[in-house]
Amino acid sequence: MKLNILGCYAATPRSFTNPTSQVLEMKNQLFLIDCGEGTQVQLRRNKIKFSKIKHIFISHLHGDHCYGLVGLISTFRLLNRESELHVYGPRGIKEIITLQLKLSNSWTNYPLYFHELTSKEPQLIYEDEKVTVETIPLIHRIYTNGFLFKEKPGDRKLLINRAVEYNIDVSLYKSLKKGKDVVSETGELIPNQLVTDEPAPSKSYAYCSDTVFNQKMIPQISGTTVLYHESTFLEDKAGLAFPTKHSTAKEAALIAKEAGVKKLILGHYSTRYTNINLFREEAATIFPEVDLADDGKVFVFE
């Protein structure tokens, strides 16, 4: 599992920082999460192949999370994209994008599908044979969701020496990896656990963009491998967090601690701060396994 931070700052783009966008690589798939201005430039700068992005998840319709989307969709057209593109986001995302495409006479030459979200409860919005994606309802000034990406359990690990010892034909190895009991060449029923081991633990990633301190999400993200949680303010500006429906680094750490996640990544810093290391210092007093997002930073989780 790999996370590429394309942008992680709040509000307006600057010459040296970008608004929110990131790419999650999970089970050999690339998922684009939010799409602030400059996203396609950052994709190029970070050498991420446009053609591998088939699913885009937009948390909410504030500009620093979606103003780069129509540009990216249009660039896909100029690159002669043929494969489907799926966009998941709040109701209204289709109207925003299609109006711009209509008035500029720039309709895509590839299938473009919108999956508009309205539920205020967690909802499964994507599933294939390897990955699921659920919404995480957040509390912001407008309708907003985070997203929970989870790997499905992989195949069991085959213990070759044991399989040979129990006289199991090679043709049955695939069944063993799928957790099935098999019959040996001598006619003996071999329980699966005798010749296989548990699969590698499934990884998960919880993306929580703009939100006020919200303990309701804790049961859903409990035990998550990695939590990205917005930390727009430090405690010195805590008085601004609730009115603007944002969180502080300390509050993000409290969520991580109560949810028992393995790693916390902070982001969405207010551009009023010149030293983002202060965010880590503040959060670490509560949750030590904390790191900082920054534009161009890559996290790899083995």
Side-chain angles (χ1 to χ4, degrees), residues 154-160 162 176-179 191-201:
D155 290 345
R156 294 182 65 83
K157 296 178 182 177
L158 178 64
L159 305 175
I160 297 292
R162 290 277 188 89
L176 287 171
K177 290 179 180 180
K178 296 299 182 184
N192 185 273
Q193 64 268 23
L194 292 180
V195 290
T196 67
D197 206 348
E198 293 291 330

Side-chain angles (χ1 to χ4, degrees), residues 58-105:
I58 303 296
S59 63
H60 64 296
L61 299 182
H62 280 159
D64 57 334
H65 294 259
C66 70
Y67 278 177
L69 183 57
V70 70
L72 182 61
I73 288 172
S74 297
T75 295
F76 284 153
R77 172 178 178 266
L78 296 174
L79 295 175
N80 297 314
R81 181 189 180 102
E82 296 180 354
S83 59
E84 296 180 355
L85 180 66
H86 294 262
V87 178
Y88 307 78
R91 182 168 56 193
I93 188 72
K94 180 178 181 179
E95 180 182 0
I96 289 171
I97 299 302
T98 54
L99 178 61
Q100 294 178 85
L101 297 179
K102 173 185 175 182
L103 295 180
S104 63
N105 192 24

Side-chain angles (χ1 to χ4, degrees), residues 221-241:
I221 66 172
S222 178
T224 298
T225 309
V226 185
L227 166 64
Y228 173 93
H229 195 291
E230 76 119 284
S231 55
T232 306
F233 301 108
L234 295 171
E235 283 301 299
D236 68 331
K237 301 293 183 185
L240 296 176

Side-chain angles (χ1 to χ4, degrees), residues 16-222:
F16 53 95
T17 64
N18 293 276
T20 301
S21 185
Q22 50 187 250
V23 172
L24 177 69
E25 183 175 344
M26 179 178 273
K27 293 291 187 180
N28 298 315
Q29 297 187 72
L30 297 187
F31 301 107
L32 179 63
I33 310 170
D34 276 340
C35 192
E37 290 179 73
T39 292
Q40 60 179 308
V41 175
Q42 286 294 89
L43 287 169
R44 292 187 186 280
R45 186 169 289 148
N46 289 275
K47 296 180 171 56
I48 296 171
K49 290 186 177 181
F50 286 30
S51 60
K52 294 191 70 175
I53 297 172
K54 295 182 172 61
H55 301 274
I56 300 175
F57 299 85
I58 303 296
S59 63
H60 64 296
L61 299 182
H62 280 159
D64 57 334
H65 294 259
C66 70
Y67 278 177
L69 183 57
V70 70
L72 182 61
I73 288 172
S74 297
T75 295
F76 284 153
R77 172 178 178 266
L78 296 174
L79 295 175
N80 297 314
R81 181 189 180 102
E82 296 180 354
S83 59
E84 296 180 355
L85 180 66
H86 294 262
V87 178
Y88 307 78
R91 182 168 56 193
I93 188 72
K94 180 178 181 179
E95 180 182 0
I96 289 171
I97 299 302
T98 54
L99 178 61
Q100 294 178 85
L101 297 179
K102 173 185 175 182
L103 295 180
S104 63
N105 192 24
S106 301
W107 295 111
T108 63
N109 51 358
Y110 57 89
L112 176 61
Y113 299 101
F114 292 92
H115 307 266
E116 296 196 306
L117 309 174
T118 58
S119 176
K120 295 184 178 181
E121 299 295 328
Q123 179 183 10
L124 179 67
I125 58 173
Y126 174 76
E127 181 176 19
D128 61 21
E129 66 278 4
K130 295 182 178 180
V131 175
T132 64
V133 184
E134 304 170 5
T135 57
I136 305 171
L138 302 177
I139 303 173
H140 191 42
R141 299 193 304 276
I142 59 174
Y143 177 76
T144 305
N145 286 302
F147 302 102
L148 178 59
F149 299 80
K150 296 191 292 187
E151 294 178 345
K152 291 185 175 180
D155 290 345
R156 294 182 65 83
K157 296 178 182 177
L158 178 64
L159 305 175
I160 297 292
N161 291 341
R162 290 277 188 89
V164 172
E165 179 185 338
Y166 282 98
N167 299 307
I168 298 172
D169 190 86
V170 174
S171 65
L172 298 175
Y173 284 4
K174 186 173 182 180
S175 295
L176 287 171
K177 290 179 180 180
K178 296 299 182 184
K180 297 178 181 179
D181 299 335
V182 299
V183 176
S184 71
E185 293 179 334
T186 59
E188 181 184 1
L189 179 65
I190 308 298
N192 185 273
Q193 64 268 23
L194 292 180
V195 290
T196 67
D197 206 348
E198 293 291 330
S202 298
K203 300 179 188 70
S204 53
Y205 176 63
Y207 170 81
C208 296
S209 66
D210 300 19
T211 183
V212 75
F213 180 64
N214 176 19
Q215 292 173 297
K216 291 182 179 179
M217 73 171 76
I218 290 172
Q220 186 182 6
I221 66 172
S222 178

Side-chain angles (χ1 to χ4, degrees), residues 257-282:
K257 181 179 180 180
E258 292 185 39
V261 306
K262 293 180 175 62
K263 169 73 75 174
L264 169 65
I265 299 176
L266 301 176
H268 201 266
Y269 320 109
S270 169
T271 52
R272 59 171 45 83
Y273 296 103
T274 58
N275 181 8
I276 64 172
N277 287 315
L278 297 175
F279 288 83
R280 174 166 39 205
E281 292 173 9
E282 184 171 284

